[in-house]
Amino acid sequence: MAGTGIFTEILDGEVYKFYADGEWRTSSSGKSVAIVNPATRKTQYKVQACTQEEVNKVMGMAKSAQKSWAKTPLWKRAELLHKAAAILKDNKAPIAESLVKEIAKPAKDSVTEVVRSGDLISYCAEEGVRILGEGKFLLSDSFPGNERTKYCLTSKIPLGVVLAIPPFNYPVNLAVSKIAPALIAGNSLVLKPPTQGAVSCLHMVHCFHLAGFPKGLISCITGKGSEIGDFLTMHPAVNCISFTGGDTGISISKKAGMIPLQMELGGKDACIVLEDADLDLVASNIIKGGFSYSGQRCTAVKVVLVMESVADELVEKVKAKVAKLTVGPPEENCDITAVVSESSANFIEGLVMDAKEKGATFCQEYKREGNLIWPLLLDNVRPDMRIAWEEPFGPVLPVLRISSVDEGINHCNASNFGLQGCVFTKDINKAMLISDAMETGTVQINSAPARGPDHFPFQGLKDSGIGSQGVTNSINLMTKVKTTVINLPTPSYSMG
Ligand code: NAP
């Protein structure tokens, strides 16, 4: 159970502590932030509302702990990460339970998130050992006008303090996807978890604590992003920000100083369906892509663009599958669970009502109880409807009927987002041309968009992001190249 057994020390009465200097602490603010269970709409947990003073202290510790961590042998850093991964996986049950209660993620998927996170940490440790153990050796005489008088040695060095801010929908997985690359590369790490998801993150951080990382190297500051976020992201001690979330990331990018940014933001992933597509395959991918975790995934299918000639058949197939989705509590592994908050449910409802006023065809009756919204397929959506462009982050999926492939590509490219997209066709040549034409970070051919496997590069174009994720790319982003040049008095050619 959350907050018990090995996790007892992270709880102070009914409020979870924050983590600083290798210890679990109560904030001097005397204030806490409530975490509301999306399904019951009652306060489930409380976390500390940390102060600016506490942030300053944590940053100071992170700076000094990083100096000695960077001198810790790479194999030792990897060993500690493997240990943390094992502890995390051994304790998946209480962490998954917090995910169920904080973000209403179905129980089975919550366990999967924790296990996947352990695997990601281990993979990162292994990849780090490989890629950080290698550098480059360059010779000067390959550049015109030079003799072989200079030997250039390159290696990757850490940036310093990495600030990690994950979103509510994968709080554990998207936190470790930042923590593990930062640590293996020799950085220290300050985590600001999402409020919904903070308790799961605190449990995860305790697994790193138990693994025995040095004091001050990892910290976890809790509090509302709207209150403490600016202070954290504009803190002079921060050398890199890795953020995943919505438009907040755009404003952080404008305010952050001259530091590397990794931004994974929103999306409006399009699913383009051609006339020759296997419609059963498309329908099951639309269900998986559009309705898993109630559509609250950055890579959810968020608009279907289907050729008119096959639209009726596809819509019927999807409708039949929507009818089979179960709706209810996350504890019972229902397919559709409450969305994260009342404001989120209200926003989704606004998009649905706009589509209704403008004449979209409702394939199911619109139904909502509290934060629980029944799955809804909207057919005959037109570009003048908000749902054609905006990200509902809920179980509502629009279908736009198109009369040419170009119309589909143009709709996709007119979006301010460019995260992922997918195309369904049996013609690989057409698929490749469409993939090239779509302005998105990734295009999936004959499958729904997805972030994993976690070592694949993952990036958004336009308002969907800056930089690229995926284990290798994250490690590279959290390092800088350092070179040493050996200058010889005379050219040297060791050719025997
Ligand atoms: P969000 O509202 O942008 O919040 C993300 C994180 O930012 C949370 O930890 C939040 O803390 C924090 N935050 C809020 N205000 C801040 C500020 N001023 N400064 C610094 N941090 C601040 O996003 P969300 O609702 O959690 O997640 C949903 C969004 O994330 C969707 O748009 C989705 O598409 C996107 N997403 C993208 C990816 C991707 O990889 N591209 C993956 C998953 C989700 P609080 O919770 O305390 O407010």
Side-chain angles (χ1 to χ4, degrees):
M1 204 182 142
T4 62
I6 61 161
F7 297 106
T8 314
E9 65 177 295
I10 75 171
L11 195 55
D12 177 15
E14 56 167 10
V15 186
Y16 279 89
K17 298 182 193 169
F18 74 103
Y19 186 65
D21 203 17
E23 284 173 15
W24 290 96
R25 296 183 171 183
T26 302
S27 171
S28 61
S29 71
K31 292 186 192 148
S32 62
V33 178
I35 298 172
V36 175
N37 181 321
T40 63
R41 295 195 288 163
K42 295 200 174 106
T43 297
Q44 182 76 43
Y45 303 122
K46 286 180 187 165
V47 292
Q48 308 290 326
C50 292
T51 63
Q52 295 189 349
E53 188 49 35
E54 281 153 355
V55 171
N56 283 335
K57 279 195 187 145
V58 151
M59 292 295 177
M61 291 170 215
K63 271 224 154 320
S64 63
Q66 191 268 328
K67 300 274 178 240
S68 38
W69 179 243
K71 291 180 191 151
T72 304
L74 194 47
W75 67 265
K76 272 195 185 170
R77 289 184 231 159
E79 200 173 74
L80 280 174
L81 283 167
H82 282 303
K83 207 168 160 193
I87 299 171
L88 186 78
K89 282 163 109 175
D90 282 349
N91 292 283
K92 57 185 180 291
I95 305 175
E97 180 201 303
S98 326
L99 287 169
V100 169
K101 304 286 182 204
E102 286 185 294
I103 60 165
K105 183 166 279 189
K108 259 197 209 156
D109 298 344
S110 296
V111 173
T112 306
E113 177 171 342
V114 182
V115 174
R116 170 186 179 182
S117 301
D119 292 339
L120 171 53
I121 298 169
S122 294
Y123 192 101
C124 205
E126 286 164 22
E127 184 71 350
V129 165
R130 280 193 289 266
I131 67 171
L132 295 166
E134 280 181 0
K136 269 191 175 178
F137 173 53
L138 289 94
L139 295 163
S140 52
D141 66 327
S142 55
F143 200 89
N146 285 274
E147 296 274 17
R148 190 171 292 189
T149 51
K150 292 171 189 286
Y151 292 169
C152 176
L153 305 172
T154 77
S155 61
K156 289 183 183 132
I157 57 166
L159 297 175
V161 179
V162 174
L163 172 64
I165 307 183
F168 81 84
N169 60 344
Y170 289 88
V172 174
N173 183 260
L174 286 171
V176 304
S177 75
K178 304 170 189 317
I179 297 172
L183 294 179
I184 192 69
N187 299 288
S188 58
L189 193 286
V190 177
L191 172 68
K192 152 50 195 126
T195 295
Q196 302 290 142
V199 170
S200 319
C201 280
L202 292 168
H203 282 75
M204 174 270 294
V205 167
H206 194 51
C207 298
F208 282 83
H209 168 78
L210 294 173
F213 281 87
K215 279 181 169 202
L217 187 72
I218 304 168
S219 322
C220 186
I221 288 283
T222 51
K224 282 190 186 158
S226 54
E227 286 169 15
I228 202 141
D230 281 355
F231 192 73
L232 277 161
T233 54
M234 293 196 281
H235 201 285
V238 171
N239 302 110
C240 170
I241 302 175
S242 177
F243 176 92
T244 308
D247 287 350
T248 319
I250 297 177
S251 53
I252 292 174
S253 308
K254 288 178 183 155
K255 287 183 246 175
M258 219 178 78
I259 53 172
L261 300 177
Q262 186 178 45
M263 292 280 157
E264 294 294 348
L265 312 181
K268 184 71 183 171
D269 294 7
C271 170
I272 300 182
V273 185
L274 270 54
E275 282 148 330
D276 69 343
D278 173 344
L279 295 185
D280 290 311
L281 178 73
V282 182
S284 35
N285 272 280
I286 287 178
I287 292 294
K288 182 175 77 151
F291 296 100
S292 298
Y293 186 36
S294 308
Q296 297 173 113
R297 294 166 50 247
C298 53
T299 53
V301 169
K302 292 187 183 129
V303 58
V304 178
L305 301 161
V306 56
M307 291 295 284
E308 180 68 62
S309 58
V310 291
D312 285 344
E313 198 184 339
L314 179 65
V315 167
E316 279 314 309
K317 283 181 190 288
V318 178
K319 252 168 86 172
K321 287 184 187 292
V322 168
K324 290 189 186 143
L325 293 173
T326 54
V327 182
E331 289 83 354
E332 291 172 21
N333 277 314
C334 289
D335 299 310
I336 305 294
T337 56
V339 296
V340 72
S341 65
E342 191 173 345
S343 62
S344 180
N346 291 343
F347 176 76
I348 297 163
E349 186 162 292
L351 294 179
V352 171
M353 290 309 141
D354 174 76
K356 190 174 184 182
E357 274 164 31
K358 293 175 181 158
T361 306
F362 279 52
C363 299
Q364 297 81 20
E365 199 186 328
Y366 173 66
K367 193 173 165 197
R368 171 182 172 186
E369 276 172 20
N371 298 342
L372 190 61
I373 293 177
W374 269 250
L376 179 62
L377 189 69
L378 296 172
D379 194 6
N380 295 305
V381 166
R382 291 188 321 268
D384 64 327
M385 299 176 192
R386 286 176 56 203
I387 190 106
W389 304 105
E390 294 180 42
E391 181 186 35
F393 234 60
V396 178
L397 184 60
V399 177
L400 270 83
R401 293 166 174 241
I402 52 173
S403 50
S404 69
V405 173
D406 280 349
E407 193 184 337
I409 294 169
N410 290 342
H411 185 94
C412 166
N413 292 351
S415 171
N416 56 323
F417 292 121
L419 191 58
Q420 287 209 359
C422 59
V423 53
F424 285 86
T425 172
K426 291 189 186 114
D427 185 336
I428 188 66
N429 297 326
K430 273 189 198 164
M432 279 310 301
L433 292 176
I434 295 169
S435 169
D436 282 343
M438 287 169 83
E439 292 168 3
T440 60
T442 303
V443 174
Q444 303 268 350
I445 297 172
N446 291 324
S447 185
R451 188 162 49 87
D454 286 323
H455 68 303
F456 281 11
F458 179 61
Q459 56 281 317
L461 306 185
K462 300 190 270 186
D463 283 355
S464 288
I466 302 175
S468 178
Q469 261 188 197
V471 171
T472 314
N473 288 347
S474 292
I475 295 174
N476 284 333
L477 189 132
M478 292 173 186
T479 56
K480 241 185 143 108
V481 174
K482 162 98 189 228
T483 64
T484 302
V485 181
I486 302 167
N487 289 277
L488 305 174
T490 52
S492 172
Y493 293 85
S494 53
M495 304 305 287

